[in-house]
Amino acid sequence: MLYFDHCASTPPYEQVIRTVSELMKLHYANAGALHRAGTEAMKLAERARAAVASGFGAKPHEVVFTSGGTESNNLALKGLLIGPSRRTGKHLITTAIEHASVYNTAKQLERLGVDVTFVPADETGRVSVRDVEAALRPETVLVSVMHVNNETGAIQPIEAIGQMLKAYPQTRFHVDGVQAVGKIPFDWQTAGVDLYSASSHKFRGPKGAGFLLVREGTPLEPLLTGGGQEDGIRSGTLNLPGIVGTAQALRLALESREERYRRMHALRRMLIDQIGEIPELVLNAAGGEEESAPHVVNASYPGMRPEVLVHMLEEHGILVSTQSACSSKSLKPSRVLLGMGLNESRASGSIRISLGDEHTEEDINLLAERLKTVVSKLKPLERS
C-alpha cells in the first residue's frame, strides 16, 4: 500500500519513536514537581524549547507548547480577540481558504460579536496582499493568513503581508504554518509575523503535540487556565514525550529540508505532468516552485464524487484523500476550492495527493498508472 496522505499525517521518524518511548519509560515524572525527577523532566522540556526556538530564530520564551495545530490556531485567534486586545477593536481579517481550525474559529468569534472579513483567493489559490490591506480598519486586531494551503499546497505571500502590516502597528499577524514547517523556508525574525502555529505530526513527529510561536510583547488571553504552565498562556501538565519528540522531529526535518525540497518538487512536477495526460482530471492551483509547496497536488474529476475515486484507488493499493482530513467525511464541495472561485462541480470532485520523504520516481509512476486505470473504469459512471 502506497501512502500519499502526508498532509493529513506523516509517519514519525524512527529516532523520534525511540525517543518518545524512552521518555515514557524513564521520565514519567511531572515536570512541575519539585523533586529531582521533576526537575530533570523540566530540564528536558526547556532544552526542547530552546531547540525549537533555534530552528526559527526565535527566543525560547516565545515558544508555547500546545497539543497541535488546532489548539495553536484557537489560542492565537481567541487569545487576541477575547483578551486584552479586545478593548482596542473587534475586527478580524482572515481568508476563505483557511484550515477549519481557523475558519470555524473565526465563524465562532463572529457569532460572539467579532466582525470578520473573509478575503477570497484567486484561481491559483493565492490571496492578494492588496485585498488584505483593503480590508484593514482602525479597529482590526488581527490578520490571520495560512502559510501553505492544506488542500492545494498554494503558498500565501505571508512575508509581503507581514511587511505591509508594519505600517499598521495596532494589528497583529497570525500565520497557520502547519503545512509549511520543515518543507519551505520561514524566518521568524524577518517575516513580520507575531504568531505562528505548528503541529508535530505534520513533520514526522508525534501526534497530540505542537507549538505556537508568540512574539515577545504580544498579549494573549489563555484558553486553558489552571496551574499556570507555559508562562500562564497554556496551563496543563507538560507532555514531555510529545515536547521532546517535537523538538527532535523539527531538527531532523530542518536539517534535510533543502534536499527534500528539491527532490519532492521534482516528484511533484513529474506527477503533475502525468495527471495532465488524463483528460478527465483538472489540476487545481498547480503553480511552480514559487507558488506551491513541494508536497501537494490537487486535482478534480468534475461530475464524479471524490470518495468513489479515493476508494477505488485504495483497492489498487494507493491511499489519497479528499479535501482536508478534518473535512474528508463531509459530502459538501470543498470550501477552499469554492473560495478560489471554482465552480461547484469542480469543487465537489477534488482529491488531494500529498507526498512524503519515502516516495520515489517509481512510486509516482505507479500512482499515475493506477490513477489512469481507475479513471478509465469510472468514466462510464461519470453522468450516472
Side-chain angles (χ1 to χ4, degrees), residues 78-96:
K78 292 175 181 174
L80 276 174
L81 285 153
I82 66 173
S85 297
R86 182 68 187 270
R87 300 189 202 98
T88 59
K90 56 174 186 175
H91 180 230
L92 164 67
I93 297 171
T94 188
T95 83

Side-chain angles (χ1 to χ4, degrees), residues 274-293:
Q274 296 199 49
I275 289 177
E277 297 173 1
I278 306 174
E280 293 81 10
L281 300 184
V282 183
L283 289 159
N284 301 312
E289 291 191 19
E290 297 297 319
E291 297 85 23
S292 297

Side-chain angles (χ1 to χ4, degrees), residues 152-353:
T152 68
I155 300 173
Q156 304 307 316
I158 64 162
E159 288 86 1
I161 294 172
Q163 291 302 311
M164 178 270 291
L165 286 173
K166 287 183 178 180
Y168 302 89
Q170 82 283 1
T171 301
R172 304 284 179 166
F173 186 26
H174 166 249
V175 172
D176 173 359
V178 166
Q179 291 295 343
V181 174
K183 299 177 178 70
I184 63 174
F186 173 71
D187 189 330
W188 174 246
Q189 292 302 324
T190 62
V193 174
D194 298 297
L195 302 128
Y196 194 83
S197 302
S199 185
S200 181
H201 75 108
K202 306 295 188 178
F203 50 86
R204 303 190 64 183
K207 291 182 178 66
F211 54 88
L212 178 67
L213 297 182
V214 182
R215 190 167 300 282
E216 192 172 36
T218 302
L220 278 185
E221 187 77 11
L223 295 182
L224 304 176
T225 54
Q229 291 88 344
E230 299 300 282
D231 286 334
I233 296 176
R234 199 274 186 184
S235 291
T237 301
L238 294 184
N239 172 13
L240 185 65
I243 287 169
V244 176
T246 294
Q248 185 179 38
L250 179 65
R251 176 180 61 79
L252 293 168
L254 293 178
E255 284 177 352
S256 60
R257 185 188 60 75
E258 291 185 8
E259 185 276 330
R260 288 186 297 110
Y261 181 89
R262 290 190 296 270
R263 191 174 66 82
M264 290 174 68
H265 255 306
L267 295 178
R268 177 179 175 273
R269 176 50 57 189
M270 182 179 172
L271 178 58
I272 285 173
D273 289 344
Q274 296 199 49
I275 289 177
E277 297 173 1
I278 306 174
E280 293 81 10
L281 300 184
V282 183
L283 289 159
N284 301 312
E289 291 191 19
E290 297 297 319
E291 297 85 23
S292 297
H295 63 299
V296 190
V297 175
N298 188 292
S300 291
Y301 188 159
M304 183 60 62
R305 298 198 67 83
E307 63 269 23
V308 176
L309 196 55
V310 167
H311 291 314
M312 285 196 68
L313 282 169
E314 184 174 5
E315 290 175 4
H316 285 74
I318 303 292
L319 299 178
V320 300
S321 65
T322 67
Q323 304 182 32
S324 152
C326 299
S327 307
S328 61
K329 292 182 173 62
S330 170
L331 298 179
K332 298 178 181 178
S334 163
R335 173 177 50 77
V336 168
L337 297 186
L338 291 175
M340 292 163 51
L342 303 184
N343 63 42
E344 189 165 327
S345 177
R346 191 161 156 185
S348 297
S350 66
I351 61 169
R352 179 186 67 186
I353 301 166

